[in-house]
Each structure stands twice: as structure tokens, then as C-alpha cells.
Amino acid sequence: CLSRVQHSTATPHPALQYSPTMALFKLHEQPLRKTYHAGSCSWAFVLQVVLLTLLVIAPYLIAYRSRGMWLRESTYIEQPDVQFRHELILLAQGPSGLLLAWSTLPSFNALMQGVLRVPTVAVREEDVNSDGRADKLHFSVELPLSADEAVLSVDVLMAFDYQLHEYVQLTMQSLGVISHSSALAGSSLYVDAELQLHQKHPLPHTGRRTIYNTSAWSAASSDGSVSSLRLQDILTGYADRNETTRLGNLYTTWTSQDGGQPFRVEGVIRYPFETVLYRPGFWQEIKFAWIQYLAVLIPLLYFVTLLRNHVFSNQVVSTIVKSDLDKPRQHTQ
């Protein structure tokens, strides 16, 4: 009986028997982990601290020194809300010191009383895409002339209300300046231009900026009036501002003719989409800086990992190695 029992226990279970040619399927895998241990006063511990410190600090230093980590300024595109204020100044000059002037500002007209000439003015703002914002301004200024008068140069200053809403909150009064001269007396000047935003410095992204929401005519006057201003005073005070508008993509057509006929200034001023320069906020800077930090951290982490694997696996510094193979296994029958 004993021999039968021994024979039966030595025979493997039929389900565990397989042929070398039998197809095998991978049902599960489990890595064997090897860990390295050392005391806090060992060279291995010092090396680990140095490598971890390098991983934290080096990406910041590299990104910062490359001058691309912190986003100091940014841009976005917006169509401004522009409206013509129905305010303008007209100056026309001709031969023999001829000067003719007119303005919608009564105080300026009083100043130019001796050379005042009242023109016919027609303006019309057009919303091309029906989005509630004007896209262009059509204007016409017709200046009557006597038979012995002719125009060689003309300056037209037009005032606008200019607003930005989407990200930067800006409200200001601005100018569009038309200036043209010719050696030949003219009968008309046609202008096609864009009213473009000009900035010297980025705009703040928080709060509403209304520092220039005052009359552009009185920018250079100490008492806030135009009674003592000349044209160059207005333009000089206006140019000192950080945010201004100017006429860009300017196309002009001067039509020459003998004197005696009314002189006409007409054209179209378009209100295009603008690229606004602004200073980003804290969270936008952090988001941008984090991308720059990761761009350096990821490749640095790869090389540091290769270095650590080489140092510890080859025992360049002494450590105590423990493996899953060293753990006792328990088998169930």
C-alpha cells in the first residue's frame, strides 16, 4: 500500500502536463524590484540629494537664463468700438500766405476769427457686418473759395471715442490726422485710411483705463481749454500719450485745379481689428512659466535617471541592495 501511495503522489496532475510544442499564452507579468539603501551620512545619500536638487533648480535656472521663462507682455486681437465725435479742425493754406480755418469747437473758431471760413460737412458711419459696431466712416468737407484763392496744403484733425472691452478695458478720446500738401493748387483730396491703435508700453490687464478719456484738443493746455492752443501744441500734447490712434495704410489722391472752385476733402476711415499689447496677469505668467520649466525638466529627468541607474547598479557608491528574490515565498498546496 505504501508503494502505491508514493507512486500516486509523484505523478503530476494531468492538467499540468504539456508538450514542448504546446502554444503558451502570457497570462500575467510582475517585475522584480531591486532597491538600494544607504545611511544619511553615506556618499550614496549625498549623491541622491545632489541629483534631486539638480532636478528642481536646474530647469528653472536654464529657463530663466534663456530669457523665455516669464511672460512680460502678450497680445490679442480685438475689433475696437469706435465712434466719430463730430469734432474736427480744418486748416487750409494757399499761396501768398493764405490761411483758412474752421472747427466744430467754438473757442477755437473765436481764436481763428480773422481767417475763419465755414465749410459744408457731411459724415456717415457704416456697420458693414451688422455686429453693432461701426466699421468705417465716410466723410466729406467742402470749403468755399473765392476766385483768387487756391489751396496748396490741408490739415484735418478728427476726434473719436475709442474703446476696448474683451480683455483690456480701455476708454479714451483719440485723433485721426490728415495732412497733405502739393506744389500745385488742388480742387480735392481723397483719403482712404485705417484708424490704428498705437502704444508705447503694454496696457494693464486689470481695471478700466480712462486716463485719456478727456478731450484730445486740450491735451497740451494747462487750463484744459483750447483758447490758447496752436495746431502744433495739440499734436505735441497728443504725441506724449502712451495710447493714441493714427491713420495708417493711408492712400491719398490730390486733384489739381485752378482756384475759384470749392475745395473738397473726402474719403473713408476704416476701423480695423487691432493687435493689443498688454501685461499678462499672475496666473497667465505661471501657466506660461510652467511650460518652459517642464520643457527643460523632462529631458533632464531622463538623463539623471540614466545616471542614477548606472551609479547604483554598478555600485559606484556603496549601497545595500535588496531584491524581491530575497523575500521568502509561500506556496499553497
Side-chain angles (χ1 to χ4, degrees):
C1 294
L2 181 59
S3 61
R4 289 182 180 179
V5 174
Q6 291 176 347
H7 176 73
S8 61
T9 56
T11 303
H13 193 278
L16 299 179
Q17 296 179 354
Y18 56 88
S19 172
T21 61
M22 181 185 299
L24 299 179
F25 299 94
K26 183 172 68 174
L27 304 180
H28 178 65
E29 66 177 357
Q30 183 176 1
L32 294 175
R33 187 176 57 175
K34 184 184 294 186
T35 59
Y36 301 84
H37 304 264
S40 59
C41 297
S42 64
W43 285 110
F45 185 84
V46 173
L47 176 63
Q48 180 74 349
V49 172
V50 170
L51 291 178
L52 291 178
T53 305
L54 178 66
L55 277 177
V56 175
I57 298 179
Y60 174 81
L61 294 178
I62 295 175
Y64 180 80
R65 294 298 298 176
S66 62
R67 300 183 183 276
M69 184 170 183
W70 298 109
L71 188 63
R72 299 304 183 186
E73 59 186 36
S74 185
T75 59
Y76 76 98
I77 297 177
E78 177 183 352
Q79 183 184 15
D81 186 3
V82 184
Q83 291 183 343
F84 178 55
R85 292 181 54 84
H86 299 277
E87 297 177 359
L88 64 84
I89 292 178
L90 170 67
L91 293 175
Q93 300 184 52
S96 303
L98 175 66
L99 174 63
L100 302 175
W102 181 81
S103 172
T104 56
L105 307 175
S107 54
F108 188 88
N109 289 338
L111 182 66
M112 308 297 291
Q113 189 66 43
V115 294
L116 190 64
R117 184 72 56 87
V118 180
T120 301
V121 181
V123 295
R124 175 175 60 90
E125 287 186 305
E126 181 182 0
D127 183 4
V128 177
N129 52 10
S130 302
D131 62 348
R133 295 184 179 183
D135 295 297
K136 59 178 68 174
L137 170 70
H138 302 268
F139 69 94
S140 175
V141 181
E142 186 173 286
L143 182 67
L145 299 176
S146 62
D148 58 343
E149 294 176 336
V151 174
L152 297 177
S153 68
V154 62
D155 297 288
V156 180
L157 283 71
M158 310 175 73
F160 298 88
D161 282 324
Y162 196 97
Q163 295 183 348
L164 298 174
H165 302 286
E166 291 186 8
Y167 192 70
V168 172
Q169 304 296 316
L170 171 67
T171 302
M172 68 174 181
Q173 297 184 28
S174 64
L175 294 178
V177 180
I178 301 171
S179 182
H180 188 86
S181 61
S182 175
L184 300 176
S187 63
S188 66
L189 172 66
Y190 179 81
V191 177
D192 193 318
E194 294 180 347
L195 187 69
Q196 298 177 346
L197 176 66
H198 176 71
Q199 304 171 234
K200 296 179 181 178
H201 305 287
L203 295 172
H205 75 286
T206 57
R208 179 173 296 275
R209 186 169 175 84
T210 59
I211 186 174
Y212 299 125
N213 193 24
T214 57
S215 175
W217 311 116
S218 59
S221 177
S222 58
D223 57 0
S225 67
V226 298
S227 59
S228 61
L229 289 182
R230 300 171 299 170
L231 178 61
Q232 53 266 40
D233 296 327
I234 297 175
L235 296 179
T236 299
Y238 183 67
D240 288 338
R241 295 168 37 167
N242 181 64
E243 303 99 54
T244 58
T245 57
R246 60 179 62 175
L247 296 182
N249 291 335
L250 180 63
Y251 300 95
T252 60
T253 301
W254 179 268
T255 303
S256 59
Q257 187 177 333
D258 295 336
Q261 301 295 327
F263 181 80
R264 177 187 294 268
V265 182
E266 58 182 350
V268 177
I269 297 180
R270 309 175 189 273
Y271 308 148
F273 280 82
E274 289 292 346
T275 301
V276 183
L277 182 66
Y278 70 97
R279 291 190 298 270
F282 172 78
W283 291 113
Q284 186 177 359
E285 284 198 42
I286 291 298
K287 181 180 67 174
F288 184 83
W290 180 247
I291 296 175
Q292 311 307 311
Y293 185 85
L294 286 181
V296 182
L297 175 63
I298 292 175
L300 186 61
L301 178 61
Y302 173 77
F303 289 109
V304 169
T305 302
L306 292 180
L307 177 62
R308 291 174 70 246
N309 290 338
H310 173 76
V311 170
F312 291 117
S313 62
N314 292 279
Q315 288 295 288
V316 177
V317 290
S318 298
T319 59
I320 299 174
V321 183
K322 296 182 181 181
S323 173
D324 290 343
L325 295 176
D326 301 331
K327 296 180 180 179
R329 300 184 180 181
Q330 296 180 355
H331 299 277
T332 60
Q333 298 296 331

